[in-house]
Amino acid sequence: MTSLTETVSANGDDGYTDIIEMMGNSSNFTAAYMIVGHAGDGATKRNLFVRFDAVDLEAGFTIASAKLQFILNANNSDSFATKIRVDLNSSADPAAYSDGDAQEGASLTTDGNSVVWTVGSGSAGATVDSPDITALVNSLLALGNWDTGQAMIFQVTYEGGGSAEEIRFSTNEHGSHNPPKLIVTYTESIKPGGIPQKLMLNELF
């Protein structure tokens, strides 16, 4: 079993979008935090997105577990439902979201799969793990045009009741450099003869 940790490595690869009913949307790529929640104004919900560049997974790998990992940017006492989704356009190795993408809510191409996540309370600086997202990673690897080294984009969307509540996670821009992570454990596919596809030459001698 192999463990892989991918980290957001560019300022434009994490952020959040204000989705404002009847008024258009706005986005933030440069803050030291990203938000999922609701402004409590009856109109504005906030979804966050993360992009992991050059993910070193192959389509034939068997994924044993996968999760997103964040650092709380502020003390959190709110608790509400969110959903995690993966962008299946990631199979085309997308660049970082542009401002226009985010102002449309960083809309995703999905197969309908999502993982419900209710984040609990915690103190600023605490590590927070998502539920298992193996099914989402597998959705991407199974498309047929995924290739190792391409990007994966995930979005965490607000699914609460619309009261004033939010959770803030640190971004790549944070002064202590606490970017989001994607952590995956997997086994490699085996070629005929029992040799893993990614076996390095120096392992043969």
Side-chain angles (χ1 to χ4, degrees), residues 1 11 14 16 41 67 74 82 86 91-93 98 102 118 124 127 133 144 152 155-156 168 178 182 191:
M1 196 79 68
N11 290 351
D14 52 14
Y16 67 95
D41 57 2
K67 65 183 179 183
T82 70
V86 65
S91 63
D93 194 22
S98 69
T118 300
T127 299
I133 57 168
M152 289 187 178
Q155 190 178 111
V156 182
R168 297 190 177 200
N178 291 319
L182 169 66
K191 287 183 175 181

Side-chain angles (χ1 to χ4, degrees), residues 54-59 61 93 141 145-151 198:
V55 177
D56 192 21
L57 292 174
E58 294 184 4
F61 287 177
D93 194 22
L141 299 184
N145 53 356
W146 169 264
D147 195 11
T148 186
Q150 295 182 172
K198 290 189 65 180

Side-chain angles (χ1 to χ4, degrees), residues 5-196:
T5 298
E6 299 284 352
T7 302
V8 170
S9 57
N11 290 351
D13 282 352
D14 52 14
Y16 67 95
T17 301
D18 284 350
I19 302 174
I20 309 170
E21 295 178 14
M22 308 299 292
M23 295 181 62
N25 305 323
S26 62
S27 57
N28 192 318
F29 295 88
T30 60
Y33 57 83
M34 52 188 168
I35 302 173
V36 59
H38 202 284
D41 57 2
T44 306
K45 68 177 182 178
R46 291 168 172 144
N47 297 336
L48 65 84
F49 55 87
V50 291
R51 176 182 181 270
F52 300 97
D53 194 23
V55 177
D56 192 21
L57 292 174
E58 294 184 4
F61 287 177
T62 300
I63 307 301
S65 66
K67 65 183 179 183
L68 299 175
Q69 187 176 88
F70 300 92
I71 302 296
L72 285 174
N73 182 261
N75 294 339
N76 175 54
S77 58
D78 291 332
S79 181
F80 51 84
T82 70
K83 285 186 178 179
I84 308 171
R85 297 177 174 87
V86 65
D87 190 347
L88 296 185
N89 278 330
S90 295
S91 63
D93 194 22
Y97 281 138
S98 69
D99 188 58
D101 294 329
Q103 288 189 4
E104 294 177 0
S107 58
L108 304 182
T109 299
T110 75
D111 57 4
N113 285 334
S114 63
V115 173
V116 175
W117 181 22
T118 300
V119 183
S121 61
S123 300
T127 299
V128 180
D129 291 343
S130 77
D132 188 83
I133 57 168
T134 296
L136 303 183
V137 174
N138 280 335
S139 292
L140 191 52
L141 299 184
L143 285 179
N145 53 356
W146 169 264
D147 195 11
T148 186
Q150 295 182 172
M152 289 187 178
I153 294 176
F154 297 88
Q155 190 178 111
V156 182
T157 61
Y158 176 74
E159 305 292 335
S163 58
E165 51 190 4
E166 67 177 28
I167 297 169
R168 297 190 177 200
F169 296 118
S170 294
T171 63
N172 186 66
E173 294 89 331
H174 189 270
S176 298
H177 191 64
N178 291 319
K181 296 177 180 179
L182 169 66
I183 301 173
V184 181
T185 57
Y186 64 90
T187 54
E188 299 176 16
S189 52
I190 304 298
K191 287 183 175 181
I195 301 175

